[in-house]
Amino acid sequence: MGLYKMFTLLGKSTRAAGSAVLHRQYCTPPVVNIFDRNVKRLQRERAAKREDVELYDYIKEEVGYRLADRIFDIKRQFTNAVDLGAGRGYVTNHVLGETVQKLTAIDLSPAMLSQIKGSPGLDFSVQEMDEERFQFEADSLDLVVSSLSMHWINDLPACFRAVNRALKPDGVFIGAMFGGETLYELRSSLQLAEQERKGGLAPHVSPFTQIRDVGMLLNRGGFTMLTIDTDELVIGYPSMFELMHDLQGMAENNAAFNRPLHVGRDTLMAAAAIYKDMYARKEEGVSATFQIIFFVGWKPCASQPQPAERGSATVSLKDIGKVMTPKSTGCKS
């Protein structure tokens, strides 16, 4: 009954001057905060202050280098760029000064930002800013790049809209984020162990965005000419415990509000045994999968290629084979 009344209020009609005028009000669903940003900031600060912090950069360095290479593939010099969620400079340290004139690296953690070195000839600066509160002047940037940071953002559509607003027309947004298949081995092992020991499940591994949702979210954010692809990094570890230790060193440990604060020793030992039994490598140790979703989106501009008008085609699809197959030009003997 309460639900019926709510929809009646949303779709109520107001009579004025003898005619019925319908006033429809659309409800925006509330943002559900899954991740605790304060905890994520503390995790990054703690990871950045480790003496051996470089040992845990192998995944983020690899992905950051690949993103910097994609920037180089765009034959254009960018005047003003932002590295969104820069971390320790995983992209900034590989961007060339010939490609980007000025770059601003932003991150939630000041300790991470203080360790960015940049590349020779690159004019860069750092700014402490929460990725969820991305605020730059409208039409002020021509490049935004983000590497393995946006999977911790609660309101991803709002972040995409903020990036789109800050970009100039024909500006480009290049990014990479962990996909839904990331750490499926660890997730399933912990779930099976906890189901056996406790009779229930708890979210030990944070949720990740599925590849099918990234394109939809970018379109909703106002981007066009999307390019989305995935890659998988399969890395070997001696056991599940070394994997969890490295995740903590990367500041990629769980930061969900509903995460369990304590896991029993018996559950961890059972999960490690299940992990080894189900996901053992041919050599020693176990494997862990990191799915990386790469995407490129452009802010609309009149100079971009536009689709032809409907019905303007001059060749039927049934004749496409004749068009595609070249005619023989050889001489008959």
Side-chain angles (χ1 to χ4, degrees), residues 69-100:
D69 191 56
R70 296 190 178 211
I71 298 173
F72 183 74
D73 288 339
I74 301 176
K75 305 304 179 183
R76 178 190 301 182
Q77 187 179 41
F78 299 99
T79 57
N80 195 10
V82 166
D83 186 357
L84 175 61
R88 297 181 62 247
Y90 306 111
V91 177
T92 303
N93 293 341
H94 299 292
V95 173
L96 301 178
E98 294 82 2
T99 304
V100 178

Coordinates of all heavy atoms in Angstrom, one line a residue, residues 69-100:
D69 N 51.8 4.2 -22.9 CA 52.0 3.8 -24.3 C 50.8 4.1 -25.2 O 50.9 4.6 -26.3 CB 52.4 2.4 -24.4 CG 52.9 2.0 -25.8 OD1 53.9 2.6 -26.2 OD2 52.3 1.1 -26.4
R70 N 49.6 4.0 -24.6 CA 48.4 4.3 -25.4 C 48.2 5.8 -25.6 O 47.7 6.3 -26.6 CB 47.2 3.7 -24.6 CG 47.2 2.2 -24.6 CD 45.8 1.7 -24.1 NE 45.9 0.2 -24.1 CZ 44.8 -0.6 -24.3 NH1 43.6 0.0 -24.5 NH2 44.9 -1.9 -24.3
I71 N 48.7 6.6 -24.6 CA 48.7 8.0 -24.8 C 49.6 8.4 -25.9 O 49.3 9.3 -26.8 CB 49.2 8.7 -23.5 CG1 48.2 8.5 -22.3 CG2 49.3 10.2 -23.7 CD1 48.7 9.0 -21.0
F72 N 50.8 7.8 -26.0 CA 51.7 8.0 -27.1 C 51.2 7.7 -28.4 O 51.5 8.3 -29.5 CB 53.0 7.3 -26.8 CG 54.1 7.5 -27.8 CD1 54.8 8.7 -27.8 CD2 54.4 6.6 -28.8 CE1 55.8 9.0 -28.7 CE2 55.4 6.9 -29.7 CZ 56.1 8.1 -29.7
D73 N 50.3 6.7 -28.5 CA 49.7 6.2 -29.7 C 48.8 7.3 -30.3 O 48.5 7.3 -31.6 CB 48.9 4.9 -29.6 CG 49.8 3.7 -29.3 OD1 51.0 3.8 -29.7 OD2 49.3 2.7 -28.8
I74 N 48.2 8.2 -29.5 CA 47.4 9.3 -30.0 C 48.3 10.4 -30.6 O 49.0 11.0 -29.8 CB 46.5 9.8 -28.9 CG1 45.5 8.7 -28.4 CG2 45.6 11.0 -29.5 CD1 44.7 9.1 -27.3
K75 N 48.3 10.6 -31.8 CA 49.2 11.6 -32.5 C 48.8 13.0 -32.2 O 48.2 13.7 -33.1 CB 49.4 11.3 -33.9 CG 49.8 9.8 -34.2 CD 51.1 9.5 -33.5 CE 51.5 8.0 -33.8 NZ 52.7 7.6 -33.0
R76 N 48.9 13.4 -31.0 CA 48.5 14.8 -30.6 C 49.3 15.2 -29.4 O 49.7 14.4 -28.6 CB 47.0 14.8 -30.3 CG 46.5 16.1 -29.8 CD 45.1 16.0 -29.2 NE 44.1 15.5 -30.2 CZ 42.8 15.3 -30.0 NH1 42.3 15.7 -28.8 NH2 42.0 14.8 -30.9
Q77 N 49.6 16.5 -29.3 CA 50.3 17.0 -28.1 C 49.2 17.6 -27.2 O 48.5 18.5 -27.5 CB 51.3 18.0 -28.4 CG 52.1 18.5 -27.2 CD 53.2 19.5 -27.6 OE1 52.9 20.4 -28.3 NE2 54.4 19.4 -27.0
F78 N 49.2 17.1 -25.9 CA 48.2 17.5 -25.0 C 48.7 18.6 -24.1 O 49.9 18.5 -23.6 CB 47.8 16.3 -24.1 CG 47.1 15.2 -24.8 CD1 47.9 14.1 -25.1 CD2 45.8 15.2 -25.2 CE1 47.4 13.0 -25.8 CE2 45.3 14.1 -25.9 CZ 46.0 13.0 -26.2
T79 N 48.0 19.7 -24.0 CA 48.5 20.9 -23.3 C 48.2 20.8 -21.8 O 49.0 21.3 -21.0 CB 47.8 22.1 -23.8 OG1 46.4 22.0 -23.7 CG2 48.1 22.3 -25.3
N80 N 47.1 20.2 -21.4 CA 46.8 20.1 -19.9 C 46.1 18.8 -19.6 O 45.1 18.5 -20.2 CB 45.8 21.3 -19.6 CG 45.7 21.5 -18.1 OD1 46.5 20.9 -17.3 ND2 44.8 22.3 -17.7
A81 N 46.8 18.0 -18.8 CA 46.3 16.6 -18.5 C 46.3 16.4 -17.0 O 46.9 17.1 -16.2 CB 47.2 15.6 -19.2
V82 N 45.5 15.4 -16.6 CA 45.4 15.0 -15.2 C 45.5 13.5 -15.1 O 44.9 12.7 -15.9 CB 44.0 15.4 -14.6 CG1 43.7 14.7 -13.3 CG2 44.0 16.9 -14.4
D83 N 46.3 13.1 -14.1 CA 46.5 11.7 -13.8 C 45.6 11.4 -12.6 O 45.9 11.8 -11.4 CB 47.9 11.3 -13.5 CG 48.2 9.8 -13.3 OD1 47.2 9.1 -13.3 OD2 49.3 9.4 -13.1
L84 N 44.4 10.8 -12.8 CA 43.4 10.6 -11.8 C 43.7 9.4 -10.9 O 43.7 8.2 -11.5 CB 42.0 10.5 -12.4 CG 40.8 10.2 -11.5 CD1 40.6 11.3 -10.5 CD2 39.6 10.0 -12.4
G85 N 44.0 9.5 -9.7 CA 44.4 8.4 -8.8 C 45.8 8.0 -9.2 O 46.1 6.8 -9.5
A86 N 46.7 8.9 -9.1 CA 48.1 8.7 -9.6 C 48.9 7.7 -8.8 O 49.8 7.1 -9.4 CB 48.8 10.1 -9.7
G87 N 48.6 7.5 -7.5 CA 49.4 6.7 -6.7 C 50.8 7.2 -6.6 O 51.1 8.3 -6.3
R88 N 51.8 6.3 -6.8 CA 53.2 6.6 -6.8 C 53.7 7.0 -8.2 O 54.9 7.0 -8.4 CB 54.0 5.5 -6.2 CG 53.7 5.1 -4.8 CD 54.5 4.0 -4.2 NE 55.9 4.4 -4.2 CZ 56.9 3.8 -5.0 NH1 56.6 2.9 -5.8 NH2 58.1 4.2 -4.8
G89 N 52.8 7.4 -9.1 CA 53.2 7.9 -10.4 C 53.3 6.8 -11.4 O 54.2 6.8 -12.3
Y90 N 52.4 5.8 -11.4 CA 52.5 4.7 -12.2 C 52.3 5.1 -13.7 O 52.9 4.4 -14.6 CB 51.5 3.6 -11.8 CG 51.6 3.2 -10.4 CD1 50.6 3.6 -9.5 CD2 52.8 2.6 -9.9 CE1 50.7 3.3 -8.1 CE2 52.9 2.3 -8.5 CZ 51.9 2.6 -7.7 OH 52.0 2.3 -6.3
V91 N 51.6 6.1 -14.0 CA 51.5 6.7 -15.3 C 52.4 7.9 -15.5 O 53.1 8.0 -16.5 CB 50.0 7.0 -15.7 CG1 49.9 7.6 -17.1 CG2 49.1 5.8 -15.6
T92 N 52.3 8.8 -14.5 CA 53.1 10.0 -14.6 C 54.6 9.8 -14.9 O 55.2 10.5 -15.6 CB 52.9 10.9 -13.3 OG1 51.5 11.1 -13.2 CG2 53.6 12.2 -13.4
N93 N 55.1 8.7 -14.3 CA 56.6 8.4 -14.4 C 56.9 7.9 -15.8 O 58.1 7.8 -16.1 CB 57.0 7.4 -13.4 CG 56.9 7.9 -12.0 OD1 56.9 9.1 -11.7 ND2 56.9 7.0 -11.0
H94 N 55.9 7.6 -16.7 CA 56.2 7.1 -18.0 C 55.7 8.1 -19.1 O 56.0 7.8 -20.3 CB 55.5 5.8 -18.2 CG 56.0 4.7 -17.2 ND1 57.3 4.2 -17.2 CD2 55.4 4.1 -16.2 CE1 57.4 3.3 -16.3 NE2 56.3 3.2 -15.6
V95 N 55.0 9.1 -18.8 CA 54.5 10.1 -19.8 C 55.7 11.0 -20.3 O 56.5 11.5 -19.4 CB 53.4 10.9 -19.2 CG1 53.0 12.0 -20.2 CG2 52.2 10.0 -18.9
L96 N 55.8 11.2 -21.5 CA 56.9 12.0 -22.1 C 56.5 13.4 -22.2 O 55.3 13.8 -22.4 CB 57.2 11.5 -23.5 CG 57.7 10.0 -23.6 CD1 57.9 9.6 -25.1 CD2 58.9 9.8 -22.8
G97 N 57.4 14.3 -22.0 CA 57.2 15.7 -22.1 C 56.8 16.2 -23.5 O 56.2 17.2 -23.7
E98 N 57.2 15.4 -24.5 CA 56.9 15.8 -25.9 C 55.4 15.5 -26.2 O 54.8 16.1 -27.1 CB 57.7 15.0 -26.9 CG 59.2 15.3 -26.8 CD 60.0 14.6 -25.7 OE1 59.3 13.8 -25.0 OE2 61.2 14.8 -25.6
T99 N 54.8 14.6 -25.4 CA 53.4 14.3 -25.6 C 52.5 15.1 -24.7 O 51.4 15.5 -25.2 CB 53.2 12.8 -25.2 OG1 54.1 12.0 -26.0 CG2 51.7 12.4 -25.5
V100 N 52.8 15.4 -23.5 CA 52.0 16.2 -22.5 C 52.8 17.4 -22.1 O 53.9 17.2 -21.5 CB 51.5 15.3 -21.4 CG1 50.7 16.2 -20.4 CG2 50.7 14.1 -21.8

